[in-house]
Amino acid sequence: MFNFDDANKRSKEVMDVAVKSYSALTKGFQAIATEATDYSKKSFEDGIAHLEKLSNAKSLEAAFELQTNYLKASYEGFVTEATKISEMYADLAKDAYKPYEAPVAKATAQVKSAAAA
């Protein structure tokens, strides 16, 4: 028979888990947005500084060397940042799923015990 107290208890548990997961998602996305903003700002500032250096180059060879060094540093910085952000996304997924681990394990155990009976 349907028990309203059990249904109320379960719905409260589900809501608590959803709120915890949503909180983890929010914090993770905020951290990623902050990191992306900081990288964009730094990249823009580096680009402006490079243009100033490039405009003061005395020869074509010096300009070519400046450009080569800038491109190399920019690429390395981008790869580092992309790796960092991908790790942040992986951590975000783990943190968002963490509140669901206990209820899923509990439900799995109940299904297994019901199937064995």
Side-chain angles (χ1 to χ4, degrees), residues 56-107:
N56 293 329
K58 301 294 181 195
S59 67
L60 188 59
E61 292 82 16
F64 187 75
E65 185 177 339
L66 281 171
Q67 184 68 14
T68 301
N69 291 337
Y70 173 73
L71 288 175
K72 188 184 292 186
S74 293
Y75 177 75
E76 290 171 356
F78 172 75
V79 169
T80 301
E81 190 66 23
T83 301
K84 185 175 183 180
I85 288 180
S86 68
E87 289 170 358
M88 291 175 79
Y89 272 111
D91 291 341
L92 169 67
K94 290 174 190 173
D95 291 343
Y97 178 72
K98 195 172 287 186
Y100 292 104
E101 287 177 345
V104 168
K106 183 179 175 182

Side-chain angles (χ1 to χ4, degrees), residues 15-29 92 95-96 99-100:
M15 193 58 123
D16 288 344
V17 167
V19 167
K20 287 178 186 176
S21 178
Y22 182 73
S23 176
L25 280 172
T26 302
K27 288 177 187 176
F29 282 131
L92 169 67
D95 291 343
Y100 292 104

Side-chain angles (χ1 to χ4, degrees), residues 3 5 8 10-12 20-21 31 34 39-41 46 48 54 57 60-61 65 67 74 82 90 99 108-109:
N3 187 342
D5 290 334
N8 188 25
R10 291 194 193 278
S11 66
K12 184 180 181 318
K20 287 178 186 176
S21 178
T34 300
Y39 174 72
S40 295
K41 182 178 178 183
D46 289 349
I48 296 297
L54 200 57
L60 188 59
E61 292 82 16
E65 185 177 339
Q67 184 68 14
S74 293
T108 303

